[in-house]
Amino acid sequence: MTDTSREQLYEDLSMASRRYLAAYVLFNQALADHLGLHPTDVQALSLLTAAPGPVTVKQIADMTGLTTGSATRLVDRLERAGYVARTPDQQDRRRVLVTVVPERVARVTAVWDDLGRAWQEILDDQSEEELRTITRHMHRAHDLSHAQMRRLRSRPKPEA
């Protein structure tokens, strides 16, 4: 592959990536509007349902990149809406764990499952090796995004 064709591929990928990310953010907003939630709350629910078990507010802050204060307010909103419950940690009674409420989260999961079938359909014609490549890319993009969030949050904000 020549340098110019690789540069063109990078440019095409950059544009496709920008469009994909913008579409995902707009989709997330539409989903949040549909459910009557804040977009950050929808993403937090996604992360909470992917977690192996209950988590602390500090862990939610780490997962989302929010401050612990913002994560506490997020949990407050989700608790008021009935999506999560705070429970004492049985191993350390000083800690409080955040647990999803399965019956309430099923409402969100039903929407995700319906949309997930459409996602699977667009992947059905991919080979197993292509699916592994996509999955590897998604894992690497996740890690890079979190590193970039930390980097961005550590920098001073630009002057107006």
Side-chain angles (χ1 to χ4, degrees):
M1 181 179 300
T2 66
D3 284 346
T4 55
S5 63
R6 188 167 184 91
E7 286 174 22
Q8 183 61 51
L9 283 172
Y10 279 141
E11 190 174 314
D12 292 347
L13 181 57
S14 175
M15 189 58 68
S17 180
R18 288 174 54 193
R19 286 184 176 135
Y20 168 78
L21 292 172
Y24 186 82
V25 168
L26 295 170
F27 161 76
N28 188 62
Q29 180 68 57
L31 178 59
D33 291 346
H34 177 76
L35 295 168
L37 294 171
H38 187 278
T40 304
D41 299 353
V42 172
Q43 290 307 303
L45 279 175
S46 178
L47 293 170
L48 288 171
T49 58
V55 296
T56 65
V57 170
K58 170 75 169 95
Q59 288 171 309
I60 292 171
D62 292 342
M63 287 189 299
T64 60
L66 296 171
T67 64
T68 53
S70 292
T72 297
R73 289 187 294 280
L74 179 147
V75 171
D76 290 344
R77 288 191 305 270
L78 291 175
E79 187 176 41
R80 273 193 307 275
Y83 288 101
V84 300
R86 288 179 167 101
T87 57
D89 184 341
Q90 297 302 315
Q91 274 66 48
D92 183 349
R93 302 292 279 169
R94 296 169 295 176
R95 288 186 353 152
V96 173
L97 297 175
V98 178
T99 307
V100 296
V101 176
E103 304 79 34
R104 186 72 168 145
V105 171
R107 173 179 178 225
V108 180
T109 305
V111 176
W112 280 327
D113 288 348
D114 182 46
L115 299 168
R117 285 187 286 280
W119 273 105
Q120 186 168 343
E121 286 175 17
I122 69 168
L123 296 171
D124 280 345
D125 64 342
Q126 304 297 307
S127 71
E128 288 183 17
E129 185 56 36
E130 288 170 324
L131 291 174
R132 279 191 280 280
T133 298
I134 294 167
T135 301
R136 186 174 64 249
H137 166 76
M138 297 300 280
H139 285 293
R140 292 172 69 189
H142 168 269
D143 294 345
L144 175 64
S145 292
H146 279 271
Q148 293 291 14
M149 284 189 294
R150 286 189 299 276
R151 183 173 157 251
L152 189 58
R153 287 188 171 108
S154 72
R155 296 170 62 185
K157 292 186 177 12
E159 295 182 28

